[in-house]
Amino acid sequence: MNLWTQYICENYSDKNTNIRTGLRLRIDKNVDYEVRESIKKFAKWLRRCYKFPVRLPVYVKATEYIKTQDGDNVVGSFFEPYELRTEPYIRIATGDYNELKKSIGRDNALASIIYTLSHEITHYYQWINGLEMTVEEREQQADCYGDYILEQYAGCVDYP
């Protein structure tokens, strides 16, 4: 069973609910060109392979970190609303791309960003499916799916 393809709440497809659907990118103008193109390519692949029953905006930032509501500095975050009619969102920090590129190479640096996005999208599917899990279980599952989705994508493209 794939978390990304099961939906406990099937009523998202009800045309009378007026719930927007899909995956939308919002990329800062200062984001590196290679990162921008890689994320756009990955998003196109995601839209072909997976459904997003509640619109999921992804904000791609040119900063090194994102500050969470708890005050933590992270490279990715998922905002999980209390009700299903409110749109969630993801924020991804990509400002350390050039530093990563120097230390681990272009493809690995881009793969790292794609992994982070996949990890955060897993939290979206946990939310959609209303999974009751501890924080540790949620993170562990998101790590596993981050790897899984990255491997799937790597099998479909020559480079990230």
Side-chain angles (χ1 to χ4, degrees):
M1 175 171 66
N2 184 338
L3 175 67
W4 282 39
T5 57
Q6 73 178 32
Y7 306 111
I8 292 172
C9 300
E10 291 294 335
N11 61 347
Y12 295 124
S13 60
D14 183 359
K15 296 192 185 336
N16 296 325
T17 61
N18 293 326
I19 294 176
R20 298 189 311 175
T21 63
L23 176 69
R24 298 293 178 262
L25 297 177
R26 299 291 180 248
I27 304 173
D28 284 357
K29 64 181 180 180
N30 297 340
V31 169
D32 185 278
Y33 177 79
E34 290 176 344
V35 172
R36 174 186 301 275
E37 293 306 307
S38 180
I39 288 176
K40 286 167 50 176
K41 181 179 172 183
F42 180 59
K44 189 174 181 179
W45 178 81
L46 286 171
R47 289 182 193 108
R48 279 196 319 265
C49 297
Y50 298 100
K51 293 181 181 177
F52 295 87
V54 174
R55 175 161 296 168
L56 179 60
V58 175
Y59 298 94
V60 182
K61 302 300 206 173
T63 59
E64 286 190 37
Y65 297 101
I66 303 287
K67 187 175 283 276
T68 65
Q69 292 177 343
D70 300 336
D72 297 331
N73 287 329
V74 296
V75 293
S77 71
F78 172 69
F79 168 71
E80 180 177 313
Y82 292 110
E83 62 177 40
L84 294 173
R85 295 199 178 279
T86 304
E87 289 179 5
Y89 61 84
I90 289 173
R91 294 182 300 159
I92 301 290
T94 64
D96 65 344
Y97 171 68
N98 286 319
E99 184 179 310
L100 273 176
K101 185 174 159 181
K102 287 176 188 172
S103 64
I104 61 175
R106 176 190 178 274
D107 288 354
N108 288 333
L110 293 172
S112 174
I113 292 168
I114 290 169
Y115 167 84
T116 300
L117 181 52
S118 298
H119 175 103
E120 298 306 328
I121 292 173
T122 301
H123 290 310
Y124 166 81
Y125 285 112
Q126 290 167 339
W127 173 74
I128 285 291
N129 288 296
L131 298 183
E132 298 285 332
M133 303 169 86
T134 66
V135 172
E136 187 175 296
E137 291 169 333
R138 292 170 72 86
E139 289 303 315
Q140 190 174 38
Q141 186 178 50
D143 287 343
C144 289
Y145 272 95
D147 288 335
Y148 172 73
I149 297 300
L150 185 58
E151 286 177 26
Q152 267 194 324
Y153 183 60
C156 298
V157 297
D158 294 333
Y159 55 89

